[in-house]
Amino acid sequence: MHKIIIAIDGYSSCGKSTLAKQLAKTLEYRFIDSGAMYRAVTLYLINHQIDIYNLDAVAESLKNIKIDFKINPENHLQETYLNDENVEMALRINSRIASVVSDVSAISEVRRFLVKQQQFLGNEKGIVMDGRDIGTVVFPHAELKIFVTADPQIRAQRRFDELKEKGQTTTIEEVLANLQKRDHIDTTRADSPLVKAEDAIVLDTSNMNREQQFQFAYDLARKKLGVTSE
Ligand code: DC
């Protein structure tokens, strides 16, 4: 069967990555979490105490950053490596990353650096990538584009539950404030702001469970692949 590129964009904590992962697993496609790449660059800058508002220093740092994805043989989940170090957990729970990653991802040099790598990963098709600009900038010709949204209160609750499960202490108000701040930066930045691609299909996950979200996306993918029955 021919392979396609599936672009999943939308706000943070809408369930994009979970959906993209499940879709990729079922279709036996590669899954790429492009947000993890922006988080990895942010982690590098934090660890090396680079001033993120010093654009020359940020651009110089990019030369020293290598990002890979590897499958963990124990749980078969994909994990992010920064310069050969497994940073998967740090990317998710480090609150300093969450507070500056939107500013880092607004830097054009950072975007150019990562978009090039993302496009390279899509060369062979058979890929599900989630992010903010996948259907608009990275793969404008993706065969299937899904734009995920959800009510901010519901997103904050989901993110709060996720952090609690990982042992993080925070409040729902704090999580909501962080989400709203990131939404604002992501949608208003000059370079590749988060917008729905004209040909993207909207998926509002506010009142849908994971299975319903998956079915919605999987049906769309099957239609694009020309599969009409089980
Ligand atoms: O999906 P996420 O929350 O892990 O993304 C982290 C940040 O990276 C988010 O603030 C927006 C940014 N991002 C981006 O600008 N472009 C992408 N393709 C993916 C993420």
Side-chain angles (χ1 to χ4, degrees), residues 19 21 34 43 55 122 134 144 159 173 187 198 200 202 217 225:
L19 173 66
K21 245 182 251 173
S34 69
L43 179 62
L55 296 186
I134 310 305
L144 176 58
R159 180 80 187 125
E173 289 76 22
T187 53
E198 249 176 51
V202 175
L225 288 163

Side-chain angles (χ1 to χ4, degrees), residues 38 41 45 51-56 58-59 62 100-113 189 191:
Y38 287 91
V41 169
L45 299 176
D51 173 5
I52 65 162
Y53 301 104
N54 178 343
L55 296 186
D56 289 339
V58 171
L62 296 176
V100 295
V101 64
S102 282
D103 282 331
V104 171
S105 57
I107 302 170
S108 292
E109 283 78 4
V110 172
R111 301 206 71 81
R112 270 200 297 274
F113 172 73
R189 68 178 175 225
D191 189 344

Side-chain angles (χ1 to χ4, degrees), residues 9-13 16-17 33-39 42 91-92 98 100-103 105-106 111 115 118 129-134 138 182-183 185-186 189 191-192:
D9 287 304
Y11 300 94
S12 47
S13 302
K16 287 189 313 289
S17 286
D33 173 359
S34 69
M37 300 171 84
Y38 287 91
R39 286 170 185 265
T42 305
L91 296 189
R92 308 295 157 194
V100 295
V101 64
S102 282
D103 282 331
S105 57
R111 301 206 71 81
V115 166
Q118 290 154 5
M129 192 177 290
D130 81 303
R132 305 292 188 290
D133 59 342
I134 310 305
V138 181
R182 280 167 51 187
D183 283 358
I185 300 173
D186 292 346
R189 68 178 175 225
D191 189 344
S192 325

